Amino acid sequence: MSFEHMSFAGIQWQTQEQEDTDVLDEELHNLIVWNDDVNTFDWVIESLVDVCDHNPLQAEQCALIIHHKGKCGVKKGSFDDLRPKAEALLDRGIQATIDC
């Protein structure tokens, strides 16, 4: 990082400029669970705890959002990290997708 000093009307300002780096940020995706008329709240909550490592309260809140809004982003991560979680939810009969 570099710093630049400026002065306006006797006030000293110091700005900080971030230099470009060669580090690429890994693109994050969302694991989305969709509402359906088949799975119970308890099954969705249990699945989010088991598959996504949610605590019970977090899983319950996600289940309520899924029910009321039709979907919920339940986990962020790289595609490679989310894919097995999505497949595990699908194996449990829960509709899940990964956004791109």
Side-chain angles (χ1 to χ4, degrees):
M1 294 195 179
S2 63
F3 294 93
E4 182 178 328
H5 295 278
M6 297 184 296
S7 178
F8 292 108
I11 300 173
Q12 293 280 331
W13 294 93
Q14 182 176 348
T15 61
Q16 181 177 344
E17 297 178 15
Q18 187 171 2
E19 297 173 4
D20 290 357
T21 62
D22 292 332
V23 177
L24 296 176
D25 290 333
E26 187 174 341
E27 187 174 346
L28 294 181
H29 298 276
N30 282 308
L31 174 58
I32 300 170
V33 173
W34 298 84
N35 191 35
D36 62 31
D37 294 330
V38 178
N39 292 293
T40 65
F41 274 91
D42 288 339
W43 180 241
V44 172
I45 291 166
E46 180 181 332
S47 297
L48 291 174
V49 169
D50 292 345
V51 173
C52 296
D53 300 319
H54 285 195
N55 65 51
L57 179 60
Q58 182 182 16
E60 182 180 351
Q61 290 172 341
C62 287
L64 287 169
I65 293 169
I66 293 164
H67 178 72
H68 290 290
K69 298 213 176 215
K71 66 180 182 176
C72 179
V74 297
K75 194 82 170 175
K76 274 190 186 294
S78 71
F79 184 85
D80 291 338
D81 289 339
L82 296 180
R83 184 175 181 180
K85 294 178 186 335
E87 290 172 350
L89 291 169
L90 291 168
D91 288 345
R92 291 170 174 241
I94 297 172
Q95 295 303 308
T97 59
I98 301 172
D99 73 355
C100 294

